[in-house]
């Protein structure tokens, strides 16, 4: 049965360890950012004709019909994937509104989150919500349009909304967190596109395979240690592994002077650890702090020009 009006949402995400190396088969750790959300609202258009699907996404200035969207546009790709899933030639007329509080081009999963919300909302509207496995799988297909070689970590953490330990092509594992902690996410002020950075790393890996494979392996090894530190609640160890991971990412050539400045200033102000997060060359840095230092770190970063940041609480859990 087609619903009169529905909504669906999905969170943002941050990668704590292992970005880039995860594309080459190494493990990575990611968490959902539940206070950042994309949301999709759908209402029926009973007078419309089949496939008359109106999209409005005020945050990105989009107001367009399905037929007007260019090939390769994620919204169009979502509709086409749903048609293929249900083996139908058209979908009923509907109006779709997309809103999001997730910063774009910042490594926080904004595009992936919107795709997950759209898949959930449209299939719920049609009366046949997809399983989480299908939402994740189809989101991965759409990610490939944007960067040819996604690892699958973004669609997985955003669909399942749990902290995960992820190795591509292996079943996803939820991670155990012995002690809850706070992270501060800090905007470097630079927008960056994942596909550009991922493609550049691929070119550099092809040109210097031995060196890059050894950097990826080192990142993988410290990601395994980070999982252990989370499971035992060893936050100082977790922090020092973040610094090591940042250093290795800088060696891959994916950091940015602003990200390095955030990491240095946060550590001077008493952080336990800090690193860039996501594809890099911009986007956000993630800072690990105990409660006693978080305001001091925020003030220090504001004073040197990094005004946009937010705190995220990661609760303990009882997995494993
Ligand atoms: O979407 P971002 O910027 O968080 O980058 C995703 C993480 C990468 O490891 C760089 C790419 C991938 O597909 O895993």
């Amino acid at each position: 049965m087609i619903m009169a009006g529905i909504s669906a949402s999905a969170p943002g995400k941050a990668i704590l360890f292992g970005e880039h190396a995860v594309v080459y088969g190494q493990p990575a750790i990611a968490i959902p950012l539940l206070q950042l959300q994309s949301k999709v609202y759908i209402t029926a258009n009973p007078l419309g004709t089949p496939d008359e699907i109106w999209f409005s996404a005020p945050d990105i200035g989009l107001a367009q019909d399905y037929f007007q969207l260019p090939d390769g546009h994620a919204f169009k790709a979502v509709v086409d994937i749903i048609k293929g899933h249900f083996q139908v030639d058209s979908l009923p007329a509907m109006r779709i509104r997309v809103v999001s509080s997730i910063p774009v081009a910042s490594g926080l999963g904004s595009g992936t989150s919107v795709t997950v919300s759209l898949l959930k909302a449209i299939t719920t509207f049609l009366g046949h919500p997809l399983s989480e496995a299908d939402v994740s799988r189809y989101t991965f297909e759409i990610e490939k349009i944007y960067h040819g070689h996604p690892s699958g970590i973004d669609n997985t953490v955003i669909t399942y909304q749990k902290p995960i330990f992820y190795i591509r092509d292996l079943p996803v594992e939820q991670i155990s967190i012995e002690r809850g902690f706070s992270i501060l996410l800090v905007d470097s002020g630079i927008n960056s596109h994942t596909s550009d950075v991922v493609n550049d790393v691929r070119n550099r890996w092809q040109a210097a395979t031995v060196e890059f494979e050894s950097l990826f392996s080192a990142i993988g090894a410290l990601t395994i240690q980070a999982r252990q530190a989370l499971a035992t609640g060893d936050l100082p160890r977790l922090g020092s592994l973040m610094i090591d991971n940042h250093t290795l990412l800088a060696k891959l050539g994916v950091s940015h002077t602003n990200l390095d400045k955030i990491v240095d200033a946060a550590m001077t102000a008493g952080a336990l650890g800090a690193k860039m997060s996501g594809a890099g060359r911009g986007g956000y840095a993630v800072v690990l702090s105990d409660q006693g230092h978080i305001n001091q770190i925020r003030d220090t970063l504001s004073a040197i020009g990094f005004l946009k940041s937010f705190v995220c609480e990661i609760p303990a859990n009882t997995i494993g």
Side-chain angles (χ1 to χ4, degrees), residues 14-18 27-31 153 164-166 175 223 226-227 230:
I15 297 183
L16 292 187
F17 290 92
I29 293 173
I31 51 164
I153 192 168
I164 58 166
F165 181 84
Y166 181 85
I175 49 173
T223 301
R227 181 188 196 174
L230 285 164

Side-chain angles (χ1 to χ4, degrees), residues 13 15 18-23 106-109 147 149-154 194 198 277-280:
K13 71 99 207 352
I15 297 183
E19 50 274 268
H20 288 293
V22 68
V23 176
S106 299
L108 300 180
H147 58 107
H149 305 280
S151 65
I153 192 168
D154 284 13
T194 302
V198 169
S277 178

Side-chain angles (χ1 to χ4, degrees), residues 113-159:
S113 179
V114 165
T115 300
V116 168
S117 290
L118 276 170
L119 284 165
K120 288 189 339 189
I122 297 175
T123 56
T124 303
F125 174 78
L126 296 172
H128 301 284
L130 291 176
S131 66
E132 284 182 325
D134 280 340
V135 169
S136 186
R137 180 165 66 89
Y138 288 139
T139 302
F140 182 62
E141 292 306 314
I142 290 169
E143 297 274 286
K144 286 189 197 159
I145 300 174
Y146 294 104
H147 58 107
H149 305 280
S151 65
I153 192 168
D154 284 13
N155 53 284
T156 306
V157 67
I158 289 173
T159 301

